[in-house]
Amino acid sequence: MSSLLKTRNEGKQQKQASPQEQQRKIDEVRELLGDLPTEMPSFLSDGTIRRFLRAKNWSMEQATKALKEAVKWRRQYKPDKICWEDLASMENEVRRAYIPDYLDNNGRTVFAIMTSKKSLTSTKEHIKQLVYNLEILALSSKDAQEKNVVWICDFHGWTLSTTPLWETRESLHIIQNYYPGLIGAAILCNPPKIFESFWKIVKHFIEPMLYDKVKFVYSNNSDSQRILADIFDLDKLEFAFGGRNTASLDITKYSERMRRRDQIRGACKDASGTISPSGQRIQSTT
């Protein structure tokens, strides 16, 4: 446990920018992007550009380059077209990774992962579900200048086969390159001793700015409990993460919520651009 609690201070000190300076940089990056904001107006919003700028320590050149790479990836992967109905084995997979209906004490969206739930799908489907959730999370944080996402993961029952190294590297690549700055805190709960060897490898793929946001918490550690109580309302936080909420995820209500979010983000359109009331694709009869 002691080795996991160690931190590194390799990152450069984060620059601060006034609201006026932020908007000036956002406007200049928008100009540097040329016609891309017209091609992807929803993605290249002020909120997204600000997030990339902050992740690149307010360097307009680096943020512009990163945004162009993200646009290139989005053209190919089309993350904005993934909708709830596309996710395989939804009930089991959603119980492994989902967005709870509560916020943390700072008003940030929460993303929960339970590794104790055995996956029934392929790595490709895991990545697809991750991207779907990242799209939802990015939308939730779109207009928030400082509020982002709290990622919390329960490592009960974790083994080396639970999360393949390739999948972990690919997930980190997507998070850090195409959704930079989205994660405000990463809380890893009760990783077993065997996780330490895995972490020694994985941490080299994590950028310093994200690495500094990682916290390890343990149910038998009083300092860990204070960390959780500072971040979460323990009456809302699930028991698996150290909270007092013993209710299980209601898949029916969760499905309805995700379909509504799909409608908001404009996913799941048919050829005519229509979204069904349920959020499902409307099959053409012609």
Side-chain angles (χ1 to χ4, degrees), residues 181-236:
L182 185 62
I183 298 178
I187 314 299
L188 310 186
C189 304
N190 296 309
K193 183 70 175 178
I194 193 174
F195 184 78
E196 291 191 19
S197 59
F198 183 76
W199 179 249
K200 287 178 181 179
I201 300 174
V202 170
K203 68 181 182 181
H204 296 294
F205 308 132
I206 304 177
E207 296 178 353
M209 190 176 295
L210 177 57
Y211 187 96
D212 291 340
K213 297 175 181 179
V214 176
K215 297 181 184 295
F216 290 87
V217 298
Y218 300 84
S219 57
N220 59 352
N221 182 286
S222 58
D223 290 337
S224 294
Q225 294 306 304
R226 283 192 289 271
I227 290 173
L228 289 174
D230 183 57
I231 298 175
F232 300 100
D233 179 342
L234 297 184
D235 288 331
K236 296 179 180 178

Side-chain angles (χ1 to χ4, degrees), residues 46-105:
D46 280 7
T48 301
I49 296 174
R50 180 186 294 108
R51 181 158 51 79
F52 273 71
L53 276 165
R54 186 179 291 112
K56 297 303 179 182
N57 215 12
W58 298 102
S59 167
M60 291 183 292
E61 293 76 12
Q62 291 184 32
T64 301
K65 180 180 178 181
L67 282 162
K68 287 181 177 179
E69 287 297 318
V71 167
K72 182 179 179 181
W73 172 77
R74 294 179 73 85
R75 284 172 179 158
Q76 180 178 6
Y77 199 88
K78 302 186 184 305
D80 54 318
K81 302 302 181 183
I82 304 173
C83 66
W84 174 255
E85 306 303 333
D86 293 326
L87 303 181
S89 303
M90 286 185 295
E91 181 169 341
N92 185 76
E93 294 305 309
V94 168
R95 291 184 186 277
R96 293 184 72 251
Y98 61 94
I99 302 171
D101 59 358
Y102 59 82
L103 304 177
D104 85 329
N105 292 337

Side-chain angles (χ1 to χ4, degrees), residues 103-132:
L103 304 177
D104 85 329
N105 292 337
N106 294 309
R108 297 178 293 187
T109 304
V110 179
F111 183 47
I113 297 178
M114 294 189 178
T115 61
S116 59
K117 304 292 184 182
K118 185 177 180 181
S119 175
L120 301 177
T121 59
S122 65
T123 291
K124 181 179 178 180
E125 290 296 331
H126 292 172
I127 297 298
K128 185 177 181 180
Q129 186 187 24
L130 171 66
V131 170
Y132 171 79

Side-chain angles (χ1 to χ4, degrees), residues 12 20 22 30 59 67-68 77 86 100 108 116 123-124 132 134 137 141 156 163 217 238 261 278 282:
K12 296 179 180 179
Q20 295 78 12
Q22 290 183 28
R30 191 177 293 281
S59 167
L67 282 162
K68 287 181 177 179
Y77 199 88
D86 293 326
R108 297 178 293 187
S116 59
T123 291
K124 181 179 178 180
Y132 171 79
L134 289 171
L137 294 168
S141 304
H156 176 72
T163 311
V217 298
E238 291 87 337
R261 293 202 178 193
S278 66
I282 301 175

Side-chain angles (χ1 to χ4, degrees), residues 158-172:
W158 185 91
T159 65
L160 289 173
S161 62
T162 301
T163 311
L165 182 59
W166 180 90
E167 182 179 324
T168 301
R169 290 188 63 177
E170 180 66 14
S171 298
L172 285 170

